[in-house]
Amino acid sequence: MMRLTVIGLGLIGASCCAAIKKRASDWKISGYSRTEATRQQAIARGLIDQSFGSVADAVAGADLVLIAVPMGQFSSIFSEVFQCRDSQTVVTDAGSTKESVIREITALCETPPEWFVPAHPIAGSEQNGVDAADADLYVDHQVILTPCTTVNTDAVELVTSFWALQGASVSMMDAARHDEVLALTSHLPHILAFNLVHVLSDDNEHLDIFRYAAGGFRDFTRIAASDPTMWRDISLANQRSIVTGIDRYVERLERMRKAISDGDSDWIMGSFERARGARRLFSSLADQGVHPVTDSHPSVFKITEANEGITGEIRVPGDKSISHRSIMLGALADGVTTVEGFLEGEDAIATVKAFRDMGVQIDGPNEGRVTIQGVGRDGLKAPAAPLYMGNSGTSMRLMCGILAGQLFDSELTGDSSLSRRPMRRVSGPLARLGAIIEPSADGVPPVKIRGGQTLKGCHVDMQVASAQVKSALLLAGLYAEDETSITEPAPTRDHTERMLEGFGYEVTRDGATASMCGGSRLKACHIDIPSDISSAAFFLVAASIVPGSNLTLSHVGINPTRIGILEILNLMGADIEILNRREVGGEPVADLRVRYAPLNGVKVPRNLVPLAIDEFPVLFVAASCAEGRTCVTGAEELRVKESDRIQSMVDGLSILGVDIKATPDGALIKGGGVDFRFSGGTVEAREDHRIAMAFSVAGLLCRETIVVKDCANVATSFPNFIGLARETGFPLTVLP
Ligand code: S3P
């Protein structure tokens, strides 16, 4: 039995009681409220088992105490709880700001106590009081925990399971970041709604105005009916971040005022269109359960052994490489390009945002559909600030090619992982065409691109087998005089060549060489993006290693330059059938049916390495379960991906009991055979999406639980990985 005490029986506290009562019969709930009538109502509605008019009595013997009082009362209630709690009692709160809570407890206890877990359920309603209690208020809503470093992990687990039980999805954040983000996404909208209604109510004729106000007014101001005391307290508790938000808003509002009074229709239209695109993106991500506004991607995966096979029929998201290129070529084309199957992951969205920042109107993505109003080859505008490419190496490297041909200067930046990745591999070859591209001194981002250069086509023999480098050269080639030709040392993915042809641009291909002449124009078209074989790869391996599996992956791109994974798994003895082969928009597509099969180790042919370059993390997992040795050579490129993928996998798999040795250009893996089980343990994904997903697959065959840390970046390429993994039978849970 779990003993819960809820201090404060307003909407938030009473809804927790209702939610727990609905879902867990073995929880006993004590409730505290200052007001006798509230206590009686809570008992009468069956929300609590016992009511108390004193904090000390309510808290005695509790396993978990939830403080759900207005922010202004938090400090005095907390100090009472602090004095009377039992040593085992975990305490949490539900306040909308978190730094102020931590400040107040620190004032009382010097260091934040290990038994206190600050939390914020992002749910509510303009209703208040015990009568408004709603047992489903938190279902599919987010709860953000902002624990201090001193916290006890068992306390965090208890609070996490408390909210998960109510149907919420729990994530973690730093308290300061939480307050900054919530100032913009919650506090500012409330303040604007209160303010607008206040302005209108000043008007002597406000009754008339309200009579004629319709849906827009109602939608925008619904939250102005919220509890004023609560919002006064929040406004003061998060003063600094809210004032910053108001300043940003006022500046933009003044700019809009000027545009309207000057009749600047372009500016108004640009601003509205951009906002509409962002709002649609927000809706579509929210529908999928992704909440970008709070940076709340789950960061720790916990996987236990799969007792049954991986089964079902799923469609993994759109191809990342093709998604990037659809935006780039669509933006530079004449006319309107429409895209379906677009990957709504963070990497592809970084590309969308960059082109919006250069004046391209892009609607979507909305359920995989995007519409791009092409500005033509020379129509990009100088961005107002450096273009932020997030985690996406493909965006940054390909953009170097496009930006090299513009009249304006530009700068590209990225997150911590991208800021460690080599950029001279593109700046060097592009310099051969006359481009001036300057990475920082050690050859990594930020990258500065000097505009206004005359590019001149020439022949380039590429040093590395990299589709990104080849594509950057082809894109710069659009702007170069005469012919640009590129010879690659080994075949790499050819989506740029195929898509240029789809946009009516002539590219000649002769063996390892692709050539094109600059100066022609791209014609808008429709692009149907197949599912990403690199995302499918996690499921191909999962179903291959778990006995009893039978899984179909539909509409997967099987471009010959991407199917190294299929060839290597076939060599290992996997049972993969290629069904319904067809061609969609210039790319071959098929359904892949995969069933469990005992695997054997192989010497991976070097020519297949570039054709499976993103799939090695999960191939290392397959090799660990195979009979005999697997040897990977010629894969030194893995060392400069989102993490050093050789080292990340060798370190993690060694912890999981695999006999694996890193070599400079690959690894030697001694597989354990059909009876092999990974030992349990905690491994690091090192902010690398593919490492996180590869270790999740390993978890399916583990003796004890595998915990994978640092998984937030899974959303860069595979935003619904968790959902699809669970749907097909991964026993995967997410810890904040
Ligand atoms: C990509 C090419 C590959 C791949 C990356 C996407 C592309 O990189 O690893 O995920 O879209 O061109 P390299 O070409 O540098 O090997």
Side-chain angles (χ1 to χ4, degrees):
M1 189 184 69
M2 182 63 75
R3 284 158 305 175
L4 168 69
T5 296
V6 177
I7 310 266
L9 296 169
L11 170 74
I12 296 294
S15 294
C16 283
C17 298
I20 296 287
K21 279 278 163 220
K22 180 171 169 183
R23 294 169 179 83
S25 54
D26 56 340
W27 285 55
K28 192 162 170 344
I29 309 180
S30 302
Y32 162 88
S33 167
R34 280 191 307 197
T35 324
E36 169 69 28
T38 304
R39 296 198 296 266
Q40 280 176 6
Q41 261 167 302
I43 291 271
R45 286 196 52 190
L47 300 175
I48 55 176
D49 300 298
Q50 271 186 297
S51 77
F52 295 92
S54 119
V55 170
D57 291 343
V59 165
D63 297 303
L64 177 65
V65 173
L66 167 68
I67 303 179
V69 297
M71 307 288 308
Q73 293 166 28
F74 175 80
S75 180
S76 67
I77 293 282
F78 180 82
S79 86
E80 279 191 73
V81 173
F82 180 46
Q83 281 157 29
C84 63
R85 67 176 271 283
D86 295 346
S87 60
Q88 89 291 346
T89 310
V90 171
V91 182
T92 185
D93 76 319
S96 302
T97 68
K98 299 279 51 112
E99 274 199 301
S100 65
V101 162
I102 293 171
R103 250 193 328 269
E104 284 169 2
I105 56 167
T106 313
L108 280 161
C109 321
E110 284 177 23
T111 51
E114 57 169 26
W115 41 263
F116 181 70
V117 184
H120 175 205
I122 307 186
S125 141
E126 68 284 9
Q127 317 280 338
N128 43 54
V130 66
D131 275 345
D134 173 0
D136 295 323
L137 185 65
Y138 305 109
V139 173
D140 291 337
H141 279 257
Q142 290 187 84
V143 175
I144 300 179
L145 311 186
T146 64
C148 304
T149 48
T150 45
V151 79
N152 177 317
T153 51
D154 290 344
V156 176
E157 283 234 11
L158 176 60
V159 175
T160 303
S161 54
F162 167 65
W163 287 110
L165 180 59
Q166 300 178 60
S169 99
V170 184
S171 51
M172 294 237 242
M173 239 174 165
D174 168 72
R177 174 81 180 131
H178 167 276
D179 285 5
E180 276 166 25
V181 170
L182 269 289
L184 297 175
T185 56
S186 167
H187 308 166
L188 188 59
H190 276 83
I191 288 162
L192 297 181
F194 279 124
N195 217 41
L196 178 67
V197 179
H198 185 179
V199 169
L200 297 192
S201 68
D202 280 347
D203 197 304
N204 288 337
E205 291 166 22
H206 71 265
L207 284 181
D208 248 10
I209 291 178
F210 289 162
R211 196 167 298 129
Y212 295 114
F217 176 82
R218 204 176 16 244
D219 289 349
F220 188 83
T221 60
R222 178 182 59 79
I223 48 181
S226 306
D227 180 5
T229 311
M230 173 176 150
W231 281 98
R232 178 207 54 198
D233 290 353
I234 291 172
S235 304
L236 297 177
N238 198 16
Q239 205 175 36
R240 190 174 46 90
S241 297
I242 293 177
V243 168
T244 309
I246 292 178
D247 289 347
R248 276 176 66 181
Y249 186 80
V250 167
E251 194 185 316
R252 191 51 67 91
L253 193 62
E254 270 168 2
R255 183 66 190 84
M256 180 57 79
R257 181 188 185 285
K258 179 170 164 13
I260 293 173
S261 75
D262 294 352
D264 185 347
S265 112
D266 282 355
W267 198 92
I268 299 168
M269 192 66 186
S271 169
F272 288 173
E273 265 163 358
R274 185 147 179 197
R276 183 178 68 162
R279 181 64 177 77
R280 285 186 174 169
L281 171 63
F282 163 78
S283 310
S284 90
L285 293 181
D287 288 348
Q288 297 174 47
V290 179
H291 303 281
V293 279
T294 54
D295 271 359
S296 65
H297 303 301
S299 55
V300 179
F301 291 173
K302 189 165 139 185
I303 309 104
T304 51
E305 186 170 26
N307 295 322
E308 286 169 15
I310 301 301
T311 55
E313 176 163 355
I314 55 168
R315 179 166 170 166
V316 300
D319 188 281
K320 183 153 77 74
S321 296
I322 304 179
S323 295
H324 285 303
R325 287 156 171 86
S326 69
I327 298 296
M328 294 176 181
L329 297 191
L332 299 178
D334 298 315
V336 180
T337 290
T338 47
V339 182
E340 62 186 295
F342 188 83
L343 167 67
E344 300 189 9
E346 289 171 2
D347 275 13
I349 284 165
T351 298
V352 169
K353 188 166 178 315
F355 280 91
R356 285 199 181 122
D357 288 349
M358 291 189 287
V360 182
Q361 188 194 320
I362 301 173
D363 281 329
N366 186 8
E367 290 177 3
R369 277 188 290 280
V370 183
T371 306
I372 309 151
Q373 311 285 335
V375 294
R377 186 180 168 278
D378 302 309
L380 295 180
K381 297 200 180 107
L387 298 169
Y388 179 68
M389 300 289 109
N391 189 252
S392 177
T394 309
S395 309
M396 185 171 285
R397 294 195 178 119
L398 271 57
M399 292 292 290
C400 284
I402 293 176
L403 293 170
Q406 306 304 317
L407 290 174
F408 51 81
D409 293 346
S410 50
E411 182 174 350
L412 299 169
T413 60
D415 71 1
S416 56
S417 151
L418 181 52
S419 299
R420 291 191 292 269
R421 298 184 65 186
M423 292 297 145
R424 290 205 182 108
R425 56 178 50 209
V426 278
S427 61
L430 286 170
R432 301 274 315 280
L433 273 64
I436 303 186
I437 299 187
E438 292 157 351
S440 67
D442 30 8
V444 295
V447 180
K448 294 197 165 99
I449 299 119
R450 189 99 51 87
Q453 307 305 309
T454 305
L455 303 187
K456 194 134 183 32
C458 68
H459 178 75
V460 180
D461 274 312
M462 277 168 44
Q463 301 304 303
V464 273
S466 162
Q468 295 183 350
V469 176
K470 174 177 65 175
S471 301
L473 285 161
L474 288 168
L475 292 168
L478 293 172
Y479 295 93
E481 290 169 1
D482 307 329
E483 188 182 76
T484 300
S485 63
I486 305 137
T487 301
E488 49 185 357
T492 65
R493 63 192 71 192
D494 64 355
H495 304 300
T496 309
E497 296 90 310
R498 283 174 187 254
M499 202 181 285
L500 279 168
E501 285 162 5
F503 276 85
Y505 208 102
E506 201 180 322
V507 179
T508 310
R509 297 209 260 167
D510 182 9
T513 303
S515 347
M516 64 184 301
C517 287
S520 301
R521 301 192 70 87
L522 298 159
K523 281 191 282 305
C525 63
H526 176 75
I527 300 169
D528 186 350
I529 302 181
S531 294
D532 198 328
I533 192 166
S534 300
S535 298
F538 300 103
F539 290 92
L540 292 173
V541 172
S544 295
I545 64 171
V546 179
S549 296
N550 183 352
L551 180 74
T552 302
L553 295 149
S554 59
H555 207 74
V556 181
I558 52 160
N559 178 314
T561 59
R562 295 288 297 281
I563 54 169
I565 174 78
L566 297 181
E567 300 197 18
I568 297 168
L569 283 175
N570 273 340
L571 290 175
M572 295 177 83
D575 177 358
I576 302 173
E577 272 181 274
I578 303 183
L579 308 166
N580 302 326
R581 283 177 194 266
R582 54 209 183 267
E583 174 122 348
V584 176
E587 291 278 349
V589 169
D591 302 330
L592 305 179
R593 178 167 178 190
V594 51
R595 279 176 278 209
Y596 167 76
L599 302 179
N600 50 268
V602 289
K603 183 165 175 12
V604 175
R606 284 174 84 102
N607 64 314
L608 293 182
V609 169
L611 311 184
I613 193 68
D614 290 337
E615 287 67 79
F616 279 97
V618 80
L619 275 170
F620 282 17
V621 172
S624 307
C625 314
E627 187 70 49
R629 282 173 173 277
T630 291
C631 169
V632 178
T633 54
E636 58 277 10
E637 273 298 296
L638 293 177
R639 295 211 178 263
V640 289
K641 294 293 181 188
E642 284 82 331
S643 69
D644 174 343
R645 285 185 173 158
I646 294 177
Q647 210 52 51
S648 303
M649 288 309 294
V650 169
D651 291 348
L653 289 174
S654 304
I655 290 172
L656 300 179
V658 178
D659 185 347
I660 180 168
K661 237 187 28 237
T663 61
D665 65 342
L668 291 169
I669 303 158
K670 199 164 155 213
V674 276
D675 294 325
F676 177 74
R677 291 285 174 279
F678 293 93
S679 57
T682 299
V683 294
E684 304 276 343
R686 305 205 170 139
E687 297 178 85
D688 185 332
H689 53 138
R690 300 202 198 279
I691 302 294
M693 292 185 274
F695 284 133
S696 306
V697 174
L700 297 171
L701 278 190
C702 61
R703 280 199 299 271
E704 273 165 46
T705 303
I706 293 183
V707 171
V708 192
K709 290 168 90 175
D710 242 348
C711 299
N713 279 342
V714 162
T716 59
S717 68
F718 202 155
N720 58 344
F721 172 72
I722 301 162
L724 288 182
R726 285 193 186 136
E727 187 183 320
T728 53
F730 281 56
L732 186 155
T733 49
V734 178
L735 303 177

